[in-house]
Amino acid sequence: MKIAIFEENLMWGPRLVQSVRGLGHEPVLVDRETSELPTADLAIINLGSPVFPPETLVPALKAKAIRIIAHAGHKEKQLHEIGKGLNCDYLATNSELTFKLPQIIVKVTERSPSVDV
């Protein structure tokens, strides 16, 4: 499965790429603003990204039928509410993304598109 990772953070981006590759998927790191979205089955986005504002990115991904795993810190409740309001397929804390990524990917890919979280 091809997984687009929208992450400009120099620590999170490569870490997610390595994790996704280690799970046998094909990661595509998008670390700077671009006019074209990559072709992917799934996207991992940082709800707190100033480079990829979720209010713009999520609708664009949904228009391409790309499922979305969105993450933010566990104390960043406002960001989680934004993700919920945008109907992301899965909302995760940064810790969950770190320790439960395989299970999260399975949950998201087994769901029908646009299922509430």
Side-chain angles (χ1 to χ4, degrees), residues 84-97:
K84 189 174 184 176
L86 292 169
N87 291 318
C88 293
D89 295 288
Y90 193 94
L91 297 172
T93 63
N94 294 338
S95 176
E96 286 175 313
L97 199 63

Side-chain angles (χ1 to χ4, degrees), residues 41-59:
D41 304 295
L42 179 66
I44 299 174
I45 69 165
N46 180 343
L47 290 167
S49 173
V51 175
F52 307 108
E55 297 86 357
T56 305
L57 181 58
V58 171

